[in-house]
Amino acid sequence: MFQAQTSTALGDAATRRLQGAGGLAENLLDYLKSSEFVGNVISAVALIVLAALFYRLASGLIPRLFRLGRPSEEEALDEAGLARIKRQDTAITLARNILRYSVFGTVALIILSIFLRQTLPAVAGASVLAAIIGFGAQSFLRDIIAGFFILFEGQYGVGDFVRLEPTKISGLVEEFGLRTTKLRTPSGEEVFIPNGSILGVTNYVSGQQRFIVEVLLRDAGAAARVLDSLSESAGLYVIPPRLVSREDRDGMVRLRIRAGVLPSTEWIVREGLVERIKAAAGEDALLSDPLVYDVDSASLGRIRHLIPRSGQP
């Protein structure tokens, strides 16, 4: 008897659930066919179109505002001028990024208010809460906070060549956004790195690595062959190899050659240029293997200024 009553109760509950689901589906279908829903769709599409037009207009206006007073490319730029240009480009990409998030968030909230027929503040609160829960606010907020400190501390900006840890990816900063940094690697790939995952930054301020290669040769003929070989593969260098000093003494020739390459491509000098010099000179003409120095004179001067002189505490 008890089992029969239980089975009947369960059957009635299942029937009620099916009827409720069927009624919900029927109501939803009626709503999708109603003129109210069609009007809401038209309003949402119109809003999206207007927002897209506004975004395109504002996105094109931002560079004009931030580049007021910017020197032309033909003008000779000092270090301060280049730094100002980098700051302007960083501000442009950041402003565009903020604009993108703001427009998208505002449009999403208004569309929700159109379909749910609720006041905008209530929808905004519910939508923000849903976004925080649904998309993992912890990671999102971490990226934004990290991006703020990167910008505030001036760790890098658009136009800087950097190496980021722990990814060990090197490239030119093309865009700096609220959440991600976009790098262009020397081989052409675009890499997007969340700001919150960046643990260390190496900023190659000059945008290149400079090297001095010192070559000691037995005779002037070998020196001429080495100098003739410097023009080979010049397109690989930021600063093509060129002679900066020559010293002839006791029949021997000492050459100092300067070259500059993109950071992370020092193998072009340490391997490519050195092997080319060896091949041009010949093993018999080399008194020793070419020596490669990568000490920046400006940085060395700053370090010397910080080191106490002899006799001083």
Side-chain angles (χ1 to χ4, degrees), residues 24-311:
L24 180 62
E26 184 177 354
N27 292 335
L28 178 61
L29 185 61
D30 291 339
Y31 172 69
L32 294 178
K33 294 179 179 180
S34 66
S35 59
E36 179 183 359
F37 175 75
V38 175
N40 291 341
V41 170
I42 294 175
S43 300
V45 171
L47 176 64
I48 293 173
V49 172
L50 291 176
L53 293 176
F54 170 77
Y55 175 77
R56 176 172 294 186
L57 178 63
S59 180
L61 185 61
I62 286 173
R64 297 176 181 270
L65 296 177
F66 282 97
R67 288 174 179 169
L68 292 176
R70 182 169 181 161
S72 62
E73 296 181 356
E74 292 76 12
E75 297 181 28
L77 298 176
D78 56 7
E79 185 175 350
L82 291 174
R84 186 171 72 253
I85 289 176
K86 289 181 180 180
R87 287 195 299 268
Q88 290 175 342
D89 290 340
T90 302
I92 290 170
T93 60
L94 186 60
R96 280 177 167 172
N97 195 264
I98 294 174
L99 176 67
R100 186 183 305 117
Y101 280 104
S102 300
V103 171
F104 174 81
T106 303
V107 169
L109 292 176
I110 295 177
I111 290 177
L112 283 176
S113 68
I114 290 174
F115 283 94
L116 299 181
R117 296 299 181 186
Q118 295 179 7
T119 59
L120 185 59
V123 175
S127 301
V128 171
L129 181 61
I132 291 176
I133 296 175
F135 297 99
Q138 183 177 0
S139 176
F140 183 77
L141 293 177
R142 182 190 63 185
D143 293 337
I144 292 179
I145 293 172
F148 168 77
F149 282 110
I150 290 172
L151 180 67
F152 181 75
E153 296 172 359
Q155 297 180 21
Y156 58 81
V158 173
D160 288 337
F161 201 103
V162 298
R163 177 185 174 93
L164 302 181
E165 301 292 345
T167 60
K168 301 187 182 300
I169 296 176
S170 300
L172 183 72
V173 180
E174 284 197 339
E175 292 183 10
F176 177 76
L178 284 176
R179 200 182 68 83
T180 61
T181 294
K182 175 184 173 182
L183 297 184
R184 173 81 63 175
T185 67
S187 54
E189 295 88 357
E190 294 181 353
V191 183
F192 294 85
I193 302 175
N195 294 329
S197 67
I198 298 173
L199 301 182
V201 179
T202 301
N203 191 334
Y204 299 91
V205 180
S206 64
Q208 59 183 296
Q209 287 182 279
R210 301 184 182 92
F211 294 88
I212 294 291
V213 182
E214 187 174 291
V215 187
L216 191 59
L217 302 166
R218 294 183 184 276
D219 55 73
R225 294 194 299 272
V226 169
L227 294 178
D228 289 339
S229 70
L230 296 183
S231 59
E232 300 176 7
S233 302
L236 296 175
Y237 300 86
V238 177
I239 301 177
R242 61 184 181 87
L243 180 68
V244 293
S245 68
R246 173 172 177 161
E247 181 182 349
D248 294 85
R249 180 182 298 178
D250 299 330
M252 297 183 299
V253 182
R254 185 189 303 273
L255 303 178
R256 289 185 175 87
I257 300 167
R258 176 177 295 168
V261 296
L262 288 174
S264 76
T265 61
E266 63 272 8
W267 59 268
I268 295 177
V269 173
R270 296 187 181 277
E271 300 176 14
L273 181 58
V274 168
E275 293 300 322
R276 184 171 292 109
I277 290 174
K278 287 182 178 181
E283 294 184 1
D284 295 337
L286 285 171
L287 294 176
S288 63
D289 286 339
L291 299 177
V292 180
Y293 304 94
D294 59 350
V295 177
D296 182 74
S297 58
S299 299
L300 184 59
R302 295 189 182 97
I303 294 173
R304 284 174 176 170
H305 180 71
L306 296 174
I307 297 177
R309 299 178 182 178
S310 59

